[in-house]
Structure formats: structure tokens, C-alpha cells
């Protein structure tokens, strides 16, 4: 659990609004360099870590584990009288941001202020005594994760940070696989999945598992959540079944959720990759639009499920290679 | 700035889906100056020009779109009215507008119910184009067809002309300005090998540029556009977006793309060095072909350079000649420095 908390904490120290992923890239590169064959950042801001297949052959199958690393936030559009007008990127709870400390992509610390009773994103201004920001600078609230009395991790605007931490953990494993395994931390999800589209076009995976947080449901049973359907893509029933089998094999808790994410990356992967077999899974997140509260044991269940999935995929792909 | 060419491009018809004639004209303009020139299957015009110093090591693309907003005639009613769909045009501006239909430029008028006949209950209702039609003075379908109207296009009946204090006003500045500036660049000596794309279907959703993006996979794209200026009475603060007489607009973000910060900073530095005026957009709205180049390749950095234009997507697009000249200076200066920009990465 401490690993996950530290991972979330590290990832929350810089903003990743839009395609502003340079600092996140430096962090992930620093952590994963000993474990991956390459870690790159493309022009869209996608961070892509690759574990090449053990055979070192070309033309092997490609498997992608994907999560978006960008988060909802703001971009400064107009400066007047010491206040920066803001444009919101991505949906997030806005009502509780008034008076909060915020930091710009240029490192300027200030506050988010609004005169409106129920402010929209465009009702917020960024004010600062410590410097001047420029139009185009991104801004997000300053935040630090904390642990509740019942052991859950809370982070203002959690976004997908917990799932990014999960993927970083999995990438540290010593895995000998007969396929190329990509860990994609995609950008610009909150601006129409642009990062996932370009990553999918560059990699053209055969299989892709997209990680998503889902809002906590009344029927929350704990463990990993396996999604049967998303709004934009036809998830492969066989991959969904394999994720359930993987969870059983790992002895972890998982269940298939009725939730249908509206804007996840699977649509990009499926559409762009000429029909990559796509699945989606994640964990439940309480207070989804505001605080963001996750149960670290759910993340551990998800990690175990995904590791088990990779092992089962290795067995299946290994058999396919033998039959060729 | 070749204002004669700009006027010719604005006054020609190039509605999305019907860009062939306009692109044919552009091809004639640049034929003697490009090393290779071809149309792809979507109708995009793509040219390649060798630089005096060869390749800079990166694939450079200058892009604009040839299509303009306009109308498609869907069918002719029995009583001679033409039923249409607008492409990229707000319904609000339509009633009473003059149009030219098809190659034969048949004059028409979009219907307008006289105010005396509008029921009180509908006086404040929004305009719905479904309730409008084009009147070409024919009272039967046969008469309309005999005039030469079929499944055709229509453009605003408007020509580029001087206006006010060194302004120009007319249709299709979006993106005839881009086409004119790229023609000028192709006709000049450029230092490094570069591609030029005159794309189709931008107003329909970045159609042409999506194909160009995947075919050429450029490393750097400079996308030339016109953009909305809201510097009119009653619009204050950030909503003004950008202003006339403020030079070339270098956007950092719009509805379709987040532009390359690196390229934008390089453009600002070059502009400062050369005394060229630039500004930015204070409202995130609209979309350009940059959206296709950024997301479809993952390897393309895009710089947007735009002309601040009042009343965009109307028959009366209005822009300042000085802003056009600042854009031209900036594009040429960037072209001169593109090798250094490419190597700096």
C-alpha cells in the first residue's frame, strides 16, 4: 500500500494538464529506466515505456496497457489587472476550488478565485504575488494525497494518478514475454482522447487494456473492476473473459461493472488500430469529480489481475507461435 | 503581399467538396515553381519544393485549406425553391443573403419572411435553416433546372474589396489568405526542402488534412489560417479573442489542438528579432487542420499562424492589410530559420 501512496504522491507533484507531461516523463523515465528497454515521449506528450519481447524478434505481437496521465485543469487565456482568465480543460468538480492554492506550468504559485456562487471553469481567475503567468500556461490546484482513517487514499482531483502508479508498479516487474509490452501514459484525454489516438496509430497494438477509474457504485464489492462496455468502443468479450479468468487465477477480487465510461481511451485504441482486441478495467473511485478517494487494496487487486492477464496472454501467444 | 492573387482566390468558388476548380487554379500558379506537384485521391493539392540548401533533416510542411464555407443544394421543390444545407455557417446570418449557385453563378436569394408577416410569438425565435430556401426566381422545378441548377453548391455573392482604414472585406478570407501566402512562399527561393498542402474539406471536419497527415507524416507543420476576431462594440475582455491591427496571431490552443510551445516560442522570438507584430487568442474556440496533424501522427509539432478576421464565416470577412503583411513577413522569416528551429529540438 505504501508503494501506491508514494507513487500517487510523486505523480501529484506536477501538473499534467493537456500535454504538459515533461516533468511526469522525467519522473517515469527515472523510475523505469532499469526495467524497460526504452522510454520515450512523443510530440503529443504521450509517455511510452517498452519492454521488448524476450526473443528480440521483429514482428511479434504487441500488447498495450494504457492509462491517461493528463488531468483536468485550466489554461490561462487572458491577462488583465493582475488576474488571468481561465479556460477549463476536462470535467472536474469546480465548486470547491475557490481560494485554493494553485500552481502554473511555469512554476508560479497563486490562488484560484471566483466571484460566482456556483462557478463554471470560466468564472475562475488565477492571481499571484510571486510572478506573472503567460497565456497558454496550464494551472492546476496544489494538492497532496492523504490517508483517511479507514486507510483509503484521498487526492484532490485524483484523476487517473492511482492507475498511473499501478502501471508504473507493473512495469517494474521482471517479465520475460514473447510479445512486446507497451506501457502508454497518454496525454490529452480530456481534449478528445487525442493522445491515445496518436499512440494507437504509432504502436498499432494487437491487444490493449485501457485502465479507467469508475465512479463508486452502491454495489461496490471491492477489488478490480472489469468493464464490459464503454461508450466509444466494442470491447472484446474474449478479452473481458480473459480478465475475469486472470483475476480468478490470481485469487483476487474482481467483478464486471455495469458502468459505461463516456470518454475513455478504448474508443481511440479500437478505432485507430484497425480492430485491436480491447478490454478495459480499473477500480472504483469515491467522490469522483472532487476529492477522489480510492482503496489501495483495490489497486493491488488490479495489479494482480493485470499481471495474471499478462501471464495468461504469454501462454496463449506462446501457443500461437508454436502452432505457426 | 499579392493582393491581386488574394482577390482572385476569395472571389472564386471553393465550397467544401467542390474545391477542384480553385485548386486547379492554384496548381497553375505554382506549377513552374514546385519540383513536384500532385493531387491525392481526396483532391488535396500537394507540392514539394527543393530548398537552396537541401533538406534540414526534418520533414517540413506548410499547410492551409482551400475550401470555404458555403451551401449545398439538396433538391429542387416542385415550385422552383431550392432546399439547401449550410457548411460551416450560422443559421442566424442567412435570411436575405445573396448567393451565386454553381459554375454558372446563377444568382439567388435566401428567403426572408417580411417582418410584417412574422407572427408575434415567433419574433424572438431563433432562425432555423430548415425553414429557409433559396429563391432563384423560378416558379417551377423545370424552370429551375432549365436555368442550370442541379445538385450544386452555392457561395455568398460577395467580392473582396477595400473597406474602411486599409481593411479588406469579402468572402472566403478563411482560408484564401493561407492559399495566397503559401503560393507566395512557393514562388520564392526557400532554404530547405519543404512540402506544401492545400487541403480540402477542412470546414467539414479536417477531412483533407487527415489524409495529408498520414501520408506525409511531417515532423514540423506550419498551419496558416484565418481566425475569429471579436474586437467589435459590445464585446469585452477575453471574449474579444484577438484584434485587427495586432499582427499575426500565434494561438497556443484551440478546440482542435494544443500547439507546440517550442515552435510558438521560436516564432515569437523570430518576430521580435524582425520587428513583426504578433498576438495571441484569448478565447479557446474553433478548430483547424492542426487537429489532424497533431493527433494522427504523434510525431508532428504544429505552429499555427492566423489572420485576425472579423465576421468570419460570413459574406463580409474583414481583415487588416497590415496584419496580412505581418503574417507574410513572419512566414518568410520562419522559412529562413526553419533549419535552426528543426535542429534545436
Amino acid at each position: 500500500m505504501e508503494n501506491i501512496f508514494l507513487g500517487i504522491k510523486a505523480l501529484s507533484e506536477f501538473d499534467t494538464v493537456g500535454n504538459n507531461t515533461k516533468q511526469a516523463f522525467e519522473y517515469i523515465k527515472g523510475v523505469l529506466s532499469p526495467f524497460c528497454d526504452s522510454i520515450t515521449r512523443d510530440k503529443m506528450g504521450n509517455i511510452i515505456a517498452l519492454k521488448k519481447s524476450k526473443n528480440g524478434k521483429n514482428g511479434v505481437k504487441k500488447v498495450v496497457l494504457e492509462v491517461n496521465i493528463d488531468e483536468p485543469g485550466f489554461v490561462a487565456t487572458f491577462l488583465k489587472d493582475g488576474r488571468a482568465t481561465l479556460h477549463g480543460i476536462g470535467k472536474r468538480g469546480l465548486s470547491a476550488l475557490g481560494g485554493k492554492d494553485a500552481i502554473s506550468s511555469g512554476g508560479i504559485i497563486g490562488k484560484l478565485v471566483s466571484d460566482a456562487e456556483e462557478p463554471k471553469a470560466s468564472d475562475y481567475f488565477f492571481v499571484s504575488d510571486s510572478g506573472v503567468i503567460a497565456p497558454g500556461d496550464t494551472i492546476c490546484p496544489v494538492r497532496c494525497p492523504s490517508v483517511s482513517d479507514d486507510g483509503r487514499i484521498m487526492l484532490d482531483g485524483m484523476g487517473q494518478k492511482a492507475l498511473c502508479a499501478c502501471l508504473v508498479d507493473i512495469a517494474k516487474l521482471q517479465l520475460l514475454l514473447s510479445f512486446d509490452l507497451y506501457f502508454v501514459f497518454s496525454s490529452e484525454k480530456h481534449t478528445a482522447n487525442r493522445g491515445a489516438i496518436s499512440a494507437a496509430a504509432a504502436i498499432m497494438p494487437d491487444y490493449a487494456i485501457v485502465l479507467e477509474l469508475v465512479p463508486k457504485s452502491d454495489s461496490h464489492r471491492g477489488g478490480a473492476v472489469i468493464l464490459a462496455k464503454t461508450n466509444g468502443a466494442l470491447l472484446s468479450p474474449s478479452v473481458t473473459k480473459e480478465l475475469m479468468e486472470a483475476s480468478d487465477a490470481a485469487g483476487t477480487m474482481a467483478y464486471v461493472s455495469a458502468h459505461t465510461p463516456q470518454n475513455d481511451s478504448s474508443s481511440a485504441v479500437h478505432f485507430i488500430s484497425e480492430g485491436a482486441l480491447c478490454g478495459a478495467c480499473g477500480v472504483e473511485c469515491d467522490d469522483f469529480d472532487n476529492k477522489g478517494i480510492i482503496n489501495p487494496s483495490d489497486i493491488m487487486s488490479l495489479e494482480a489481475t493485470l499481471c495474471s492477464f499478462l501471464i495468461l496472454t504469454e501462454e496463449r501467444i506462446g501457443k500461437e507461435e508454436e502452432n505457426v | 503581399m499579392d493582393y491581386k492573387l488574394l482577390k482572385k482566390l476569395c472571389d472564386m468558388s471553393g465550397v467544401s467538396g467542390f474545391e477542384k476548380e480553385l485548386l486547379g487554379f492554384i496548381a497553375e500558379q505554382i506549377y513552374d515553381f514546385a519540383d513536384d506537384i500532385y493531387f491525392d485521391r481526396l483532391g488535396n493539392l500537394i507540392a514539394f519544393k527543393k530548398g537552396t540548401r537541401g533538406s534540414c533533416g526534418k520533414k517540413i510542411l506548410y499547410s492551409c485549406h482551400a475550401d470555404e464555407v458555403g451551401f449545398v443544394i439538396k433538391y429542387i421543390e416542385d415550385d422552383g425553391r431550392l432546399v439547401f444545407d449550410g457548411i460551416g455557417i450560422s443559421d442566424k446570418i442567412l435570411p436575405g443573403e445573396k448567393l451565386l449557385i454553381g459554375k454558372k453563378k446563377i444568382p439567388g436569394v435566401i428567403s426572408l419572411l417580411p417582418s410584417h408577416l412574422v407572427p408575434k410569438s415567433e419574433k424572438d425565435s431563433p432562425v432555423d435553416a430548415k425553414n429557409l430556401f433559396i429563391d432563384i426566381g423560378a416558379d417551377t422545378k423545370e424552370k429551375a433546372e432549365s436555368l442550370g441548377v442541379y445538385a450544386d453548391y452555392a457561395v455568398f455573392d460577395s467580392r473582396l474589396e477595400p473597406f474602411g482604414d486599409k481593411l479588406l472585406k469579402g468572402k472566403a478570407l478563411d482560408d484564401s489568405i493561407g492559399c495566397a501566402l503559401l503560393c507566395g512562399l512557393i514562388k520564392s527561393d526557400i532554404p530547405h526542402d519543404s512540402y506544401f498542402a492545400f487541403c480540402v474539406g477542412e470546414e467539414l471536419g479536417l477531412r483533407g488534412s487527415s489524409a495529408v497527415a498520414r501520408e506525409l507524416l511531417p515532423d514540423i507543420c506550419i498551419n496558416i489560417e484565418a481566425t475569429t476576431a471579436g474586437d467589435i462594440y459590445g464585446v469585452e475582455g477575453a471574449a474579444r479573442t484577438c484584434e485587427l491591427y495586432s499582427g499575426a496571431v500565434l494561438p497556443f490552443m484551440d478546440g482542435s489542438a494544443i500547439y507546440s510551445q517550442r515552435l510558438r516560442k521560436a516564432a515569437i522570438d523570430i518576430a521580435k528579432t524582425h520587428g513583426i507584430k504578433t498576438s495571441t487568442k484569448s478565447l479557446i474556440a474553433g478548430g483547424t487542420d492542426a487537429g489532424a496533424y497533431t493527433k494522427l501522427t504523434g510525431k508532428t509539432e504544429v505552429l499555427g499562424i492566423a489572420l485576425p478576421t472579423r465576421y468570419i464565416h460570413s459574406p463580409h470577412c474583414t481583415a487588416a492589410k497590415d496584419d496580412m503583411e505581418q503574417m507574410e513577413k513572419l512566414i518568410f522569416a520562419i522559412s529562413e530559420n526553419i533549419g535552426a528551429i528543426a535542429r534545436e529540438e
Side-chain angles (χ1 to χ4, degrees), chain B residues 231-264:
Chain B
D231 58 335
I232 57 177
Y233 177 76
V235 181
E236 300 294 333
R240 289 169 77 82
T241 310
C242 61
E243 303 188 352
L244 267 54
Y245 306 110
S246 63
V249 174
L250 301 173
F252 52 84
M253 182 178 171
D254 60 35
S256 65
I258 298 176
Y259 293 87
S260 165
Q261 288 183 12
R262 182 183 84 86
L263 292 183
R264 187 167 175 269

Side-chain angles (χ1 to χ4, degrees), chain B residues 89-95 97 126-129 132:
Chain B
I89 300 176
S90 165
D91 292 354
K92 274 191 245 191
I93 69 163
L94 296 180
E97 279 298 335
V127 174
D128 188 346
L132 302 175

Side-chain angles (χ1 to χ4, degrees), chain B residues 1-213:
Chain B
M1 182 72 215
D2 189 345
Y3 289 110
K4 257 182 148 174
L5 174 62
L6 178 64
K7 178 171 166 57
K8 180 75 181 169
L9 292 169
C10 285
D11 294 352
M12 287 183 79
S13 301
V15 175
S16 306
F18 300 91
E19 303 96 332
K20 198 172 170 185
E21 193 188 344
L22 179 72
L23 284 170
F25 171 76
I26 292 173
E28 282 171 12
Q29 294 296 303
I30 63 174
Y31 186 79
D32 291 329
F33 302 93
D35 291 282
D36 187 19
I37 178 170
Y38 64 95
F39 289 90
D40 72 8
R41 294 186 79 169
L42 273 187
N44 296 307
L45 172 62
I46 298 167
F48 172 73
K49 183 178 176 91
K50 287 187 186 158
T52 52
R53 289 179 249 156
S55 168
C56 67
K58 300 272 184 193
K59 189 178 264 188
I60 309 297
L61 170 67
Y62 296 89
S63 180
C64 65
H65 67 90
D67 61 316
E68 64 180 287
V69 299
F71 308 87
V72 169
I73 311 302
K74 293 196 293 190
Y75 65 90
I76 308 171
E77 296 277 21
D78 289 339
D79 60 6
R81 288 177 296 142
L82 308 186
V83 177
F84 68 93
D85 261 348
I87 299 175
I89 300 176
S90 165
D91 292 354
K92 274 191 245 191
I93 69 163
L94 296 180
E97 279 298 335
K98 294 190 302 178
L99 305 180
L100 294 171
I101 296 145
K103 271 192 180 168
K104 293 187 179 178
K105 298 194 189 312
I106 297 160
V109 176
I110 297 181
S111 57
L112 168 64
L113 196 61
S115 56
H116 342 357
L117 302 180
V118 176
K120 256 191 186 167
S121 57
E122 287 175 29
K123 277 206 187 295
D124 294 326
S125 298
V127 174
D128 188 346
K130 290 196 206 68
N131 301 326
L132 302 175
F133 56 90
I134 299 172
D135 180 356
I136 59 167
D139 54 6
T140 64
K141 184 174 181 177
E142 291 70 32
K143 268 215 187 118
E145 285 172 346
S146 73
L147 287 173
V149 175
Y150 297 104
D152 234 327
Y153 62 84
V155 294
F156 289 119
D157 182 0
S158 169
R159 272 154 287 283
L160 192 70
E161 56 193 9
F163 179 66
D165 181 20
K166 294 182 198 150
L167 303 178
L168 292 175
K169 175 175 73 70
K171 71 170 180 75
L173 270 173
D174 176 14
D175 186 19
S176 296
I177 184 65
C179 295
L181 288 171
L182 291 203
C183 285
L185 194 58
I186 294 176
K187 288 176 183 174
S188 71
D189 285 330
I190 56 173
H192 292 294
D193 299 351
S194 300
Y195 286 85
F196 297 81
F198 300 83
C199 298
V200 300
E202 188 269 352
E203 304 289 358
L204 287 169
L206 322 183
R207 303 271 172 94
S209 56
S210 298
V212 172

